[in-house]
Amino acid sequence: MQIDDGNCKKVLVTGASGGIGRAVAVAAAKEGYYVIAHYGRSLDRAEETMTLIKSAGGQGELVQFDVCDRDACRQALDKMTEKHGALWGIVSNAGVTRDNTFPGLSGEDWDYVVHTNLDGFFNVVQPLTMPMCRKKRGRIIVISSVSGIMGNRGQTNYSASKAGLIGAAKALAVELASRSITVNAIAPGIIETDMIKDAPLDEILKAVPMRRLGQPDEVAALAIFLLSESAGYITRQVISVNGGII
């Protein structure tokens, strides 16, 4: 039985418990989408996101699973499809960092970042693709990073995973274009979230021509446009939101 919420298009946002994911989820709700807000561990933070969605006059629900656990993803997403049918949009945002110089990088830190950021994309998006193909419509947005474009010292694992997402998005865009499903990547720069709370910002900002941090809402604004009907001829693109970093 599919949920009945009128003509409200349904969008899944992974990693919606904070930072960019929360900003995208709330912005999507403001635009009238029914938001399925995913979280991995922090129920309290996810509930805060849902409170903001409802305060914005939006509709939605929370869903919990570990993006690294392929079987758990499949079970949760199959239930989601049974309930909602094909989604209109997927914003694959869930991601982590474990920074260290490459000689000091442990196998555990490599695996944790790559499994979460890159395998998580496959585990979430792949089960949802065929229902979208049957509908011949939809939007898939992958949140990559400037680190995946230009590399960043101390982030070999993170850069590898985010560069992999760009390649995956470009290849998938070719596969799905004939089905009127767009696939694009957003590459944020230095965005003011918990992920950078311990970073040496004074030094980092020297590389940013605008000399300021980006805001999650600025990334969300682009995501909302790419989710829209108006973005139907934009696919296979990597769009940076980075204050001018080359």
Side-chain angles (χ1 to χ4, degrees), residues 173-195:
V174 177
E175 291 188 22
L176 300 183
S178 65
R179 300 284 182 169
S180 298
I181 300 168
T182 66
V183 187
N184 293 288
I186 298 176
I190 314 302
I191 308 299
E192 191 171 5
T193 67
D194 288 345
M195 191 173 283

Side-chain angles (χ1 to χ4, degrees), residues 105-234:
L105 193 67
S106 70
E108 180 185 356
D109 288 346
W110 175 274
D111 289 345
Y112 176 65
V113 170
V114 172
H115 289 334
T116 303
N117 298 355
L118 188 54
D119 293 355
F121 160 81
F122 175 85
N123 294 342
V124 171
V125 176
Q126 199 272 346
L128 298 173
T129 301
M130 187 54 71
M132 296 173 79
C133 287
R134 294 190 185 104
K135 284 286 188 180
K136 295 185 178 181
R137 63 169 204 170
R139 305 282 184 264
I140 298 173
I141 300 169
V142 180
I143 304 299
S144 180
S145 169
V146 66
S147 186
I149 296 174
M150 59 187 293
N152 192 28
R153 184 181 185 278
Q155 289 195 318
T156 305
N157 51 356
Y158 186 72
S159 295
S161 67
K162 292 297 188 175
L165 287 174
I166 289 172
K170 283 179 172 288
L172 185 59
V174 177
E175 291 188 22
L176 300 183
S178 65
R179 300 284 182 169
S180 298
I181 300 168
T182 66
V183 187
N184 293 288
I186 298 176
I190 314 302
I191 308 299
E192 191 171 5
T193 67
D194 288 345
M195 191 173 283
I196 65 162
K197 63 183 179 181
D198 297 322
L201 295 182
D202 289 342
E203 188 65 27
I204 289 172
L205 289 177
K206 293 177 182 178
V208 182
M210 294 193 76
R211 294 295 190 268
R212 72 170 178 86
L213 299 174
Q215 297 301 310
D217 287 347
E218 293 175 303
V219 181
L222 175 58
I224 296 307
F225 173 68
L226 292 175
L227 282 172
S228 71
E229 295 275 7
S230 299
Y233 202 57
I234 301 172

